[in-house]
């Protein structure tokens, strides 16, 4: 294994780790708030579950970014090319947008989802607004994923 491959794999790992941390914190925050709602009104479980699940998407985006990076360097295709150090650093830095946007947006989306549990508890007919408010935070994770994909596709390994 070359140093370039190792550095590229580190970038892919960070995409999964950081976005996974953000998602787990966000889902945990929303779940804590949702448990309070469901303990009083179990019939609201479906709405609570949807709001709790939203921060989990950042982890999926980080995983997707890592898969695209690993596919680019050939680790998923069976033939691993020799990567220069510069190419490895290119893949590494290309993975950072989803790593950091996944981390931060997962946490903040969890906070917004937790606050939205109050809407579900007090005004269940307005629960769609809680989902929209939470989904707004996700926009930045999507932008991070798109930046990662565009940067990885822009790296010439030939």
């Amino acid at each position: 294994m070359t140093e370039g491959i190792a550095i590229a794999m580190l970038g892919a790992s960070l995409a999964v780790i950081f976005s996974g941390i953000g998602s787990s914190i966000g889902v945990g925050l929303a779940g804590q708030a949702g448990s309070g709602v469901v303990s009083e009104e179990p019939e609201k479980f479906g709405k609570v579950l949807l709001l709790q699940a939203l921060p989990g998407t950042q982890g999926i985006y980080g995983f997707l970014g890592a898969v695209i990076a690993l596919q680019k360097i050939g680790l998923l295709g069976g033939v691993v090319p020799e990567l220069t150090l510069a190419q490895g650093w290119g893949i590494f830095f290309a993975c950072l947008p989803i790593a950091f946007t996944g981390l931060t947006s997962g946490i903040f989306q969890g906070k917004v989802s937790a606050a939205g549990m109050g809407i579900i508890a007090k005004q269940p007919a307005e629960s769609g607004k809680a989902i929209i408010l939470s989904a707004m935070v996700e926009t930045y994770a999507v932008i991070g994923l798109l930046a990662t994909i565009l940067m990885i596709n822009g790296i010439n390994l030939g």
Side-chain angles (χ1 to χ4, degrees):
M1 178 182 305
T2 65
E3 291 175 340
I5 291 286
I7 292 169
M9 289 175 60
L10 177 61
S13 298
L14 292 178
V16 173
I17 292 168
F18 283 143
S19 61
I21 290 171
S23 280
S24 63
I25 291 172
V27 169
L29 290 170
Q32 290 171 0
S35 295
V37 174
V38 172
S39 69
E40 296 287 325
E41 301 171 86
E43 69 277 3
K44 294 181 179 175
F45 176 74
K47 292 179 179 178
V48 167
L49 181 63
L50 177 61
L51 208 51
Q52 182 192 10
L54 283 176
T57 56
Q58 281 81 355
I60 296 168
Y61 298 157
F63 178 72
L64 180 60
V67 167
I68 291 169
L70 295 175
Q71 188 174 23
K72 178 76 175 187
I73 62 176
L75 285 180
L76 300 180
V79 179
V80 181
E82 293 288 323
L83 282 188
T84 65
L85 200 55
Q87 290 169 328
W89 281 115
I91 297 290
F92 175 87
F93 285 113
C95 291
L96 294 184
I98 188 54
F100 288 110
T101 59
L103 172 68
T104 54
S105 71
I107 293 170
F108 284 105
Q109 190 172 34
K111 290 181 178 182
V112 173
S113 291
M117 299 296 179
I119 295 174
I120 291 174
K122 295 178 181 173
Q123 298 179 348
E126 303 293 330
S127 64
K129 293 177 181 173
I131 293 168
I132 291 170
L133 291 172
S134 182
M136 292 298 294
V137 180
E138 186 158 334
T139 302
Y140 299 98
V142 172
I143 291 171
L145 176 62
L146 291 175
T148 291
I149 292 170
L150 291 173
M151 284 192 267
I152 288 173
N153 284 335
I155 297 171
N156 184 7
L157 299 182

